[in-house]
Each structure stands twice: as C-alpha cells, then as structure tokens.
C-alpha cells in the first residue's frame, strides 16, 4: 500500500498511507539529526567519516522502511478463506 499509486487506493487506504508516511518522515528526520551529531562528535577520530556515513546509511534504510513496517504491523491479516477461494478460481 505504501508504494501503490494513489488512484488505485480507496480513501481509507490513502489515509493510512498518509498517516504512516508522515510518521516515518519525522522518525527519519530525527534519526538523521542523531547521525549528524554522532558524525560531528567522531569527526576527529580515525575513519570517523566512514563510520558516520555507514551509520547514516543504516539509519536511512531503517527510516524508509518504517511506513511499510507500521502498515504490516497494524493492518488486519487476510482471511485465509478468501485466499483459498481466489486460488480455486485461478
């Protein structure tokens, strides 16, 4: 749902996507600020830039997966009977 086109989603799905994307954006901003401060602190140490860049990359990955993880955690599971009916018709 987080990567679908808006025209393919109904109003409820668009609202969920907007809510988790908004939250994920703010978490990513917070993580990047923490990474920036950490990089500034270790900038004079050996390989400080590499350590900071690695941390920023890892935190950017975590930040971009937050909306999908939140939707996966909060959306109800599919009904197994619906899945069986779809495979019978295929």
């Amino acid at each position: 749902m987080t990567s679908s086109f808006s025209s393919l989603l109904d109003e409820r799905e668009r609202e969920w996507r907007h809510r988790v994307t908004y939250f994920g954006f703010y978490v990513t901003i917070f993580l990047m600020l923490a990474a920036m401060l950490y990089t500034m602190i270790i900038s004079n140490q050996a390989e400080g830039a590499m350590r900071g860049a690695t941390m920023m990359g890892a935190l950017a990955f975590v930040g971009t997966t937050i909306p999908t993880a939140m939707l996966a955690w909060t959306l109800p599971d599919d009904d197994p009977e619906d899945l069986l009916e779809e495979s019978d018709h295929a």
Side-chain angles (χ1 to χ4, degrees), residues 2 14-30 63 66-68 70-71:
T2 57
R14 274 190 228 128
E15 180 61 32
W16 277 351
R17 182 173 73 173
H18 173 69
R19 194 176 322 146
V20 297
T21 304
Y22 181 78
F23 180 76
F25 172 75
Y26 279 105
V27 168
T28 304
I29 293 297
F30 175 75
I66 285 175
T68 303
M70 283 183 63
L71 281 177

Side-chain angles (χ1 to χ4, degrees), residues 9-75:
L9 302 174
D10 62 17
E11 291 178 13
R12 180 182 55 92
E13 292 171 336
R14 274 190 228 128
E15 180 61 32
W16 277 351
R17 182 173 73 173
H18 173 69
R19 194 176 322 146
V20 297
T21 304
Y22 181 78
F23 180 76
F25 172 75
Y26 279 105
V27 168
T28 304
I29 293 297
F30 175 75
L31 290 174
M32 290 298 112
L33 287 174
M36 182 184 68
L37 291 173
Y38 173 76
T39 304
M40 289 171 66
I41 291 169
I42 66 164
S43 64
N44 293 331
Q45 295 181 2
E47 295 188 21
M50 185 62 181
R51 289 171 39 199
T54 303
M55 180 181 169
M56 288 176 112
L59 292 178
F61 175 75
V62 168
T64 56
T65 57
I66 285 175
T68 303
M70 283 183 63
L71 281 177
W73 191 266
T74 58
L75 289 177

